[in-house]
């Protein structure tokens, strides 16, 4: 059984207070002990209030955060393109040079293998607005380092369990 801070303090006082010879020496520490007890009570009250708030907001807040994150992700994906067949030695600057006339670019990502550090052969490009995506899609089959790049809309990755939520986990019968 775990004891709270107050219970431990009370148990300690009972053990120390049981011996009458030390009673007089402990009188000098009473103001410190009283201050520590007040701080402990205050901290426990704050913890109880936080726990109560977390329980009240726990389910609703988690759902709102997930929905907001999904909405932000979908919005970002609507302003992004996937660029395939990118040369392994191509740099972010080279990709930016090709798409700079389409609109303001927020980010360019060229994923690399975490072990070798070599590019994976594709890139993602995020624009500041959705209208830039249409202009960028017209850059399909443009040459980048003598390779025709493939430009398509970036898809939003949805886990398969979200696509088919009614499917059970058992073997069925």
């Amino acid at each position: 059984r775990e004891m709270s801070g107050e219970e431990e303090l009370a148990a300690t006082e009972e053990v120390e207070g049981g011996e009458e010879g030390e009673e007089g020496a402990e009188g000098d520490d009473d103001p410190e002990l009283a201050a520590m007890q007040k701080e402990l009570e205050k901290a426990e009250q704050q913890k109880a209030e936080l726990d109560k708030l977390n329980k009240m907001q726990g389910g609703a807040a988690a759902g709102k955060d997930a929905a907001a994150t999904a909405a932000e992700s979908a919005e970002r994906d609507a302003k992004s393109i996937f660029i395939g067949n990118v040369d392994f030695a191509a740099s972010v600057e080279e990709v930016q040079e090709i798409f700079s006339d389409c609109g303001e670019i927020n980010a360019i990502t060229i994923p690399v293998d975490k072990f070798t550090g070599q590019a994976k052969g594709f890139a993602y490009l995020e624009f500041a607005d959705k209208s830039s995506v249409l202009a960028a899609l017209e850059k399909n089959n443009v040459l980048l380092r003598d390779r025709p790049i493939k430009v398509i809309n970036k898809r939003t990755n949805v886990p398969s369990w979200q696509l088919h939520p009614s499917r059970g986990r058992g073997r069925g019968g």
Side-chain angles (χ1 to χ4, degrees):
R1 177 177 168 245
E2 292 184 28
M3 296 187 345
S4 71
E6 288 182 35
E7 291 174 344
E8 287 180 13
L9 188 59
T12 304
E13 287 178 4
E14 288 176 13
V15 170
E16 290 178 357
E19 301 175 17
E20 292 183 24
E22 294 180 14
E23 188 84 22
E26 213 176 313
D28 298 336
D29 293 336
D30 280 343
E32 284 183 34
L33 185 61
M36 289 171 52
Q37 285 177 334
K38 286 181 184 178
E39 287 180 34
L40 180 63
E41 288 174 14
K42 191 181 212 181
E44 287 178 351
Q45 287 175 351
Q46 289 175 346
K47 182 183 181 297
E49 290 174 14
L50 284 173
D51 288 344
K52 184 189 268 187
L53 286 173
N54 285 338
K55 284 180 184 176
M56 290 176 16
Q57 294 178 347
K64 288 180 185 177
D65 289 345
T69 304
E72 289 171 4
S73 177
E75 178 70 24
R76 196 171 337 125
D77 289 348
K79 298 186 294 185
S80 301
I81 59 172
F82 170 84
I83 309 164
N85 200 28
V86 175
D87 188 71
F88 295 109
S91 67
V92 172
E93 290 79 18
E94 291 172 315
V95 174
Q96 183 175 6
E97 186 178 310
I98 292 174
F99 293 97
S100 61
D101 60 336
C102 297
E104 183 182 345
I105 298 172
N106 283 350
I108 299 174
T109 306
I110 301 177
V112 295
D113 183 271
K114 64 182 173 183
F115 298 112
T116 64
Q118 183 176 3
K120 292 187 175 184
F122 60 92
Y124 295 104
L125 192 143
E126 180 185 342
F127 289 102
D129 56 16
K130 293 179 185 178
S131 61
S132 301
V133 172
L134 296 174
L137 291 174
E138 294 176 10
K139 301 276 187 172
N140 194 24
N141 291 323
V142 168
L143 294 180
L144 172 64
R145 290 188 167 226
D146 298 327
R147 293 177 73 168
I149 57 173
K150 207 65 161 160
V151 182
I152 58 174
N153 283 322
K154 181 179 183 291
R155 69 177 178 88
T156 302
N157 192 22
V158 180
S160 63
W161 61 268
Q162 288 181 347
L163 291 174
H164 308 288
S166 61
R167 298 174 91 179
R169 297 178 72 189
R171 291 178 56 186

